[in-house]
Amino acid sequence: MNKKIELIDVSYVYGERTPFEITALKNVNLNIEAGSVTGIIGHTGSGKSTLVRLFNGLERPASGKVLLDGVDIWEKPKEIGKVRYRVGLVMQYPEYQLFEETVAADIAYGPKNMGLDADAVEERVKKYSALVGLSEEDLQKSPFELSGGQKRRAAIAGIMAMKPEVLVLDEPAAGLDPVGRNLIFDAIEEYRAVEGATVIIVSHSMEDMAARCDRVIVMSDGEVVADGTRDEVFSCADKLVSVGLDVPEITKLAELLASRGFDFGKTVYTVSDAADIICRALSGGGNE
Amino acid sequence: MTHLIETRELCFSYDDEENESTENKLEGKYALCGVNITIDKGEFVAVVGRNGSGKSTFAKLLNLVLEASSGEVYIDGKKVSPEMTDEELLDLRRRVGMVFQNPDNQLVATIVEEDVAFGPENLGIPSAEIRERVDAALELVGMTEYARHEPHRLSGGQKQRVAIAGIIAMMPECMIFDESTAMLDPSGRAEVVDVMEKLVREKGITVINITHLMSEAARADRIIVINEGKVIGEGTPKEIFTNTELVRRAGLELPQCAALLGELRARGVRIDGAGITPDECADIIIKKLQNREEE
Amino acid sequence: MKNISLGQYYPTGSVIHRLDGRVKIILAVIHIIATFLCESLASFACLFVGTLVLVLMTRIPLGVVLRSVRAIVYILIITFILNAFFTVGEGEPLFSVWIFTLYIEGIWNAAFMALRILSLILGTSIFISYTTTPIQLTDSIESLLSPLKKLKLPVHDFAMMMSIALRFIPTISDETDRIMTAQKARGADFTTGSLIKRAKALIPVLVPLFVSAFRRADELATAMECRCYHGGEGRTKMTVPHLCARDIAAVGLMLAFGAALVLLNRVDFLYKMV
């Protein structure tokens, strides 16, 4: 496995030495494989939001190391700003960070901070606004004239325009309807394919995670409780339930069917997979 | 018999509202046109539609947060209009309570119980009775132990439950949830929908849940589907869930199990009955498989 | 940032915490007046013993109380120096350098002035900042000012605004934190460069913050209307504060304490202000 990001024994404490001290992360060890789509799931307050802020050096661990391509990102604390360009973070409800007069200017904010020249900035604005599905016309509008879903995509383009090697997204589809959600996930997938980037998605939606991620990390109470391929993690439903999470509905259905004598033969996540297997069984080629 | 809520040819266009922000204008570009809906006392209705379909606009017309461009709204046979007197308007707002999307932007006080008391205080209820109502409302939503807490330290689901208690304390006949679960995590969502069900089943309050989540709509007695400002379908959850085409046209998505049945149907498998929960779907699929073995 | 607690409220559940908010404001005012009436060493000594007893009664750790004193230490020093050198005494000056002349009266006056300021800070800390929640304070101010409603002053609206402000300060402070983090992730730098550069760096934080504050205000106004808010008229309160024996006794004792201080001014021990 080619490790893009590696966390070694990382702990993080909020409000150290005050009466409000909270340990957000306890001795976390994990690897993010280069080029993979990794999902991080966990209950609110499980430490996953702190975790994503550690990846790009917005927070510094109380102890332990965060390695990017094998190099400790805090080796030269003064250069931590550069890490933020390499690991792009899209926070929850990113549309609330839009501030410029036009969408184009807003997307250009990150690349400009990187010190790119005007031509390069413009090229990136064009490329990534198109990638998230915004039109030329949208670019000249004020961000506040866009619809909710468009604003979200403009904000994501603003991070993509920094061309990060790792794209981290915290609940990218929160509050959007299915159409808006698919547009966002498609854009993320395209970015990964075009740039060969590593993608990390934090989400509550088991269905989205199962459909989009290769690897899944489960957090609970500041610790990693499961880490593995999608099949490995979702096949232990009991463990997920014990930390207050769920399995995708279709996986639940598969379990019910298995207990009543019909085994899918593998862990299923998508509707079409399940339909394939059932149809095959119905047409005589049963799995039993 | 008069219905609790009745709308006749209800239309709304944001062009009439000069004060509305641009975002609202955009969300409502389809506005609302020719909506005829009746809702009876004690019903649990879900109004579903994609972002910008007009479902939220519809909700806001019911208690005059927005004014209709044309058409009428009747609450308990009484016409809702901007010409109402101040007392009539207050009475309308008391009877038709509303819980909004952002839990932070509807709590006014720095202490939970003070916030719940806000509505009854506005209505001029005697102090001792407010106390009773507040205690009962907090009990109903399961927030009694947080009565003296500060709202900003609560979770999203807890904040929404406090907001609900604040409406219940005004003793409404009907409660509208305007995408009240959209900003919550799954456990917060479950907390809020559980409370909705309790309101209908135990208190006989009419509940209207505006949402784009079909899994939530499944818990209602009746689903109204809105798209581009028009009602495009109406029926029990089972009826709507088997109408895959309608759901797709509305830009919505069925929960996976119901979608699986739809997919099987689309592939030519004859499915009898409708299933929404994994259990129901498992029953149907097992039955189908057994039938095949018998054939 | 996460656990910002508004003001300095320090809950211990002491007798003073449990007093009615209005009573605490009145007590603070009596304490202030008493402080200014003190003129002799005897009354100052008594004032400080009394204040110390009150501090102990709040059951707030002394270290916490001293923190509020530490904030004004420079003011105390400057007051002391100015008073010491600008008082002209009757007897021989203690010493004289260039234009500065120090009399014994100067030292006494300076000490008394510094003690007064210290007493003012301690008094308001004991009765208001440490023991009264902001919301209790707003309610009490509204209640005490309610006679002004007859003069058509918008006392209720003012109190409502204050309480909404208090409710939203933590929310908006969290949001500021979130927006700053989001912009930092896009390479914003708030800590280096010239003053102008740093001020400019704040634009990406301030614009979204204002936009969001207006949106919040709009939504909150709608929510309030939906909850039948229509100004202060005809409004009732869930908790109508009633003064209990404890409150009346506290005001009585405080008045007696003030009177004692005035009487002690007559005791001419070591020094008396002129």
Side-chain angles (χ1 to χ4, degrees):
Chain A
M1 182 163 127
N2 186 359
K3 295 168 188 169
K4 187 71 191 175
I5 294 183
E6 190 176 1
L7 263 59
I8 304 171
D9 267 332
V10 167
S11 296
Y12 188 86
V13 183
Y14 278 108
E16 215 169 347
R17 283 190 290 275
T18 72
F20 304 110
E21 187 173 304
I22 297 166
T23 307
L25 293 174
K26 288 172 237 167
N27 300 323
V28 171
N29 284 289
L30 55 86
N31 299 310
I32 307 288
E33 197 183 331
S36 70
V37 181
T38 303
I40 300 180
I41 53 183
H43 225 250
T44 307
S46 61
K48 57 188 183 350
S49 293
T50 310
L51 192 62
V52 296
R53 290 178 184 212
L54 286 169
F55 290 150
N56 71 344
L58 278 169
E59 307 278 5
R60 190 174 182 165
S63 65
K65 279 193 179 122
V66 180
L67 307 185
L68 177 60
D69 282 337
V71 180
D72 184 352
I73 61 168
W74 287 101
E75 203 173 69
K76 293 181 191 138
K78 282 194 176 152
E79 310 219 326
I80 197 68
K82 291 200 178 115
V83 173
R84 293 181 193 153
Y85 301 129
R86 294 178 59 199
V87 181
L89 171 63
V90 179
M91 295 195 24
Q92 206 172 357
Y93 298 109
E95 57 272 31
Y96 293 146
Q97 75 200 31
L98 300 174
F99 70 99
E100 280 282 9
E101 279 174 46
T102 65
V103 175
D106 209 287
I107 297 175
Y109 179 68
K112 265 191 194 153
N113 283 334
M114 293 171 80
L116 296 179
D117 62 59
D119 291 341
V121 171
E122 204 190 316
E123 189 209 309
R124 286 193 181 190
V125 170
K126 276 206 176 121
K127 180 171 172 192
Y128 295 102
S129 59
L131 193 149
V132 299
L134 293 172
S135 67
E136 293 266 334
E137 194 189 330
D138 291 333
L139 281 181
Q140 297 319 315
K141 285 185 189 162
S142 154
F144 306 106
E145 284 174 51
L146 302 181
S147 76
Q150 285 174 320
K151 269 190 217 168
R152 178 84 52 94
R153 281 181 278 134
I156 293 175
I159 302 291
M160 288 176 173
M162 303 191 305
K163 253 197 211 174
E165 300 151 40
V166 182
L167 184 63
V168 186
L169 305 104
D170 191 354
E171 288 287 350
L176 296 181
D177 63 18
V179 180
R181 198 176 70 215
N182 287 335
L183 284 170
I184 300 259
F185 280 118
D186 292 348
I188 296 169
E189 181 48 37
E190 196 181 336
Y191 180 81
R192 192 189 68 84
V194 172
E195 305 295 338
T198 306
V199 174
I200 301 172
I201 302 174
V202 176
S203 172
H204 281 122
S205 164
M206 296 300 145
E207 281 81 8
D208 285 343
M209 286 307 216
R212 313 268 176 183
C213 300
D214 325 318
R215 296 186 64 84
V216 177
I217 295 171
V218 184
M219 300 284 302
S220 176
D221 221 4
E223 288 175 276
V224 174
V225 292
D227 179 359
T229 63
R230 178 169 73 166
D231 286 358
E232 285 163 4
V233 171
F234 285 114
S235 57
C236 25
D238 299 347
K239 203 174 196 176
L240 291 173
V241 174
S242 75
V243 296
L245 296 169
D246 235 334
V247 289
E249 225 192 64
I250 206 94
T251 316
K252 223 184 286 174
L253 175 76
E255 269 178 39
L256 282 171
L257 291 176
S259 72
R260 296 171 70 171
F262 178 76
D263 200 341
F264 274 130
K266 62 169 192 167
T267 323
V268 289
Y269 314 102
T270 62
V271 171
S272 60
D273 268 1
D276 285 346
I277 297 174
I278 293 172
C279 283
R280 226 179 299 138
L282 283 172
S283 59
N287 274 47
E288 282 142 291
Chain B
M1 182 195 145
T2 44
H3 303 284
L4 179 65
I5 295 174
E6 182 174 1
T7 70
R8 286 186 202 148
E9 291 301 321
L10 193 61
C11 290
F12 181 82
S13 124
Y14 274 100
D15 300 337
D16 300 350
E17 285 272 317
E18 283 163 29
N19 299 331
E20 285 304 318
S21 69
T22 3
E23 185 183 345
N24 280 347
K25 250 179 216 167
L26 248 148
E27 298 287 340
K29 61 188 160 196
Y30 306 120
L32 206 60
C33 200
V35 172
N36 295 296
I37 282 175
T38 57
I39 293 170
D40 286 321
K41 213 167 160 40
E43 256 195 300
F44 185 1
V45 178
V47 178
V48 298
R50 52 177 301 184
N51 295 350
S53 60
K55 60 185 191 301
S56 230
T57 307
F58 169 71
K60 292 192 173 90
L61 290 168
L62 297 182
N63 65 350
L64 213 61
V65 170
L66 295 175
E67 281 172 34
S69 318
S70 67
E72 290 117 46
V73 177
Y74 295 89
I75 303 288
D76 224 353
K78 207 164 182 301
K79 192 174 171 198
V80 171
S81 81
E83 284 93 51
M84 288 169 117
T85 63
D86 286 351
E87 285 85 59
E88 285 172 323
L89 182 62
L90 282 185
D91 189 53
L92 169 71
R93 298 249 161 97
R94 183 194 67 74
R95 294 171 64 170
V96 183
M98 199 160 197
V99 180
F100 295 87
Q101 181 177 22
N102 191 327
D104 272 321
N105 299 352
Q106 48 190 324
L107 302 181
V108 286
T110 44
I111 291 174
V112 165
E113 62 176 14
E114 299 271 345
D115 188 84
V116 177
F118 181 74
E121 285 179 343
N122 290 332
L123 294 168
I125 311 287
S127 304
E129 197 188 330
I130 299 183
R131 183 79 255 174
E132 283 167 24
R133 286 187 182 196
V134 168
D135 291 344
L138 284 173
E139 170 92 50
L140 187 74
V141 300
M143 289 294 289
T144 308
E145 58 175 311
Y146 294 94
R148 304 288 305 162
H149 281 232
E150 296 168 54
H152 77 97
R153 291 193 196 270
L154 302 178
S155 75
Q158 290 173 329
K159 282 182 201 166
Q160 284 302 52
R161 283 190 282 153
V162 172
I164 296 170
I167 305 293
I168 295 172
M170 300 199 299
M171 309 230 151
E173 287 157 40
C174 171
M175 271 177 82
I176 303 171
F177 292 83
D178 188 5
E179 305 197 55
S180 307
T181 63
M183 294 180 77
L184 306 180
D185 62 11
S187 55
R189 226 178 270 150
E191 286 167 29
V192 171
V193 182
D194 287 345
V195 172
M196 286 185 204
E197 234 175 321
K198 209 168 167 188
L199 292 176
V200 180
R201 312 290 175 226
E202 289 174 21
K203 297 281 151 188
I205 296 173
T206 310
V207 170
I208 303 173
N209 184 19
I210 315 281
T211 178
H212 65 248
L213 293 170
M214 291 305 280
S215 52
E216 232 171 66
R219 311 243 322 235
D221 302 327
R222 183 154 64 103
I223 299 178
I224 295 170
V225 187
I226 291 190
N227 194 36
E228 300 191 358
K230 291 193 176 69
V231 175
I232 60 166
E234 200 176 332
T236 62
K238 288 203 168 151
E239 285 164 4
I240 301 293
F241 273 56
T242 43
N243 194 343
T244 322
E245 167 57 22
L246 175 75
V247 174
R248 197 196 51 76
R249 195 147 54 91
L252 298 173
E253 227 168 52
L254 288 172
Q256 286 186 325
C257 289
L260 174 63
L261 294 185
E263 177 74 21
L264 290 174
R265 248 184 235 115
R267 296 190 188 190
V269 180
R270 224 176 60 105
I271 303 273
D272 304 313
I276 293 172
T277 63
D279 284 298
E280 290 166 354
C281 296
D283 280 344
I284 292 170
I285 293 169
I286 287 289
K287 213 176 286 166
K288 191 78 202 163
L289 286 162
Q290 282 163 351
N291 286 345
R292 176 203 48 124
E293 276 154 22
E294 282 159 21
E295 271 158 25
Chain C
M1 234 16 199
K2 278 265 145 54
N3 275 299
I4 181 172
S5 63
L6 190 63
Q8 299 166 298
Y9 182 67
Y10 197 101
T12 65
S14 76
V15 181
I16 297 184
H17 284 78
R18 279 176 285 150
L19 289 176
D20 185 281
R22 293 168 298 178
V23 165
K24 277 186 271 190
I25 295 177
I26 293 169
L27 292 181
V29 171
I30 299 176
H31 189 269
I32 290 170
I33 296 172
T35 301
F36 278 100
L37 290 177
C38 280
E39 283 173 354
S40 73
L41 182 66
S43 52
F44 266 112
C46 181
L47 175 71
F48 269 86
V49 171
T51 308
L52 188 68
V53 170
L54 288 169
V55 169
L56 294 176
M57 277 170 74
T58 61
R59 302 217 304 262
I60 296 169
L62 278 177
V64 175
V65 180
L66 285 180
R67 224 180 290 151
S68 67
V69 175
R70 207 183 307 150
I72 55 149
V73 103
Y74 290 107
I75 300 180
L76 287 179
I77 293 172
I78 292 167
T79 317
F80 187 88
I81 294 172
L82 289 179
N83 273 285
F85 287 100
F86 284 92
T87 309
V88 180
E90 289 166 354
E92 278 287 298
L94 290 176
F95 68 86
S96 181
V97 182
W98 190 38
I99 54 163
F100 298 107
T101 315
L102 189 66
Y103 294 89
I104 183 77
E105 290 92 338
I107 300 212
W108 283 112
N109 276 357
F112 284 173
M113 279 317 286
L115 286 177
R116 269 184 189 155
I117 294 177
L118 190 61
S119 165
L120 292 180
I121 295 298
L122 286 175
T124 43
S125 302
I126 297 164
F127 292 119
I128 298 176
S129 23
Y130 285 126
T131 60
T132 313
T133 59
I135 188 79
Q136 199 187 5
L137 191 63
T138 344
D139 281 355
S140 306
I141 293 173
E142 183 186 1
S143 173
L144 286 172
L145 293 183
S146 57
L148 294 179
K149 279 180 191 163
K150 296 214 171 67
L151 300 174
K152 298 245 184 267
L153 284 174
V155 176
H156 164 79
D157 307 56
F158 174 73
M160 192 72 218
M161 282 183 233
M162 280 293 292
S163 112
I164 288 175
L166 291 172
R167 154 75 186 80
F168 277 90
I169 285 171
T171 308
I172 292 188
S173 122
D174 276 355
E175 180 155 44
T176 313
D177 186 35
R178 230 189 35 231
I179 296 175
M180 280 180 87
T181 312
Q183 305 300 25
K184 265 195 236 164
R186 297 166 81 189
D189 180 2
F190 305 115
T191 49
T192 59
S194 66
L195 205 60
I196 295 175
K197 191 176 161 247
R198 279 193 228 182
K200 262 189 163 168
L202 281 178
I203 294 176
V205 176
L206 293 177
V207 173
L209 203 57
F210 277 112
V211 170
S212 142
F214 280 114
R215 190 176 35 88
R216 281 183 198 282
D218 192 37
E219 287 182 27
L220 184 69
T222 309
M224 284 170 71
E225 277 181 17
C226 285
R227 292 170 75 182
C228 299
Y229 182 70
H230 55 109
E233 215 172 304
R235 211 166 176 265
T236 48
K237 280 278 201 183
M238 173 168 71
T239 36
V240 184
H242 289 291
L243 295 186
C244 57
R246 186 173 51 217
D247 297 311
I248 308 219
V251 176
L253 282 174
M254 197 67 199
L255 281 173
F257 179 60
L261 293 180
V262 174
L263 286 178
L264 279 171
N265 279 338
R266 294 177 165 203
V267 179
D268 204 350
F269 175 67
L270 280 178
Y271 185 78
K272 189 174 178 307
M273 258 183 154
V274 271

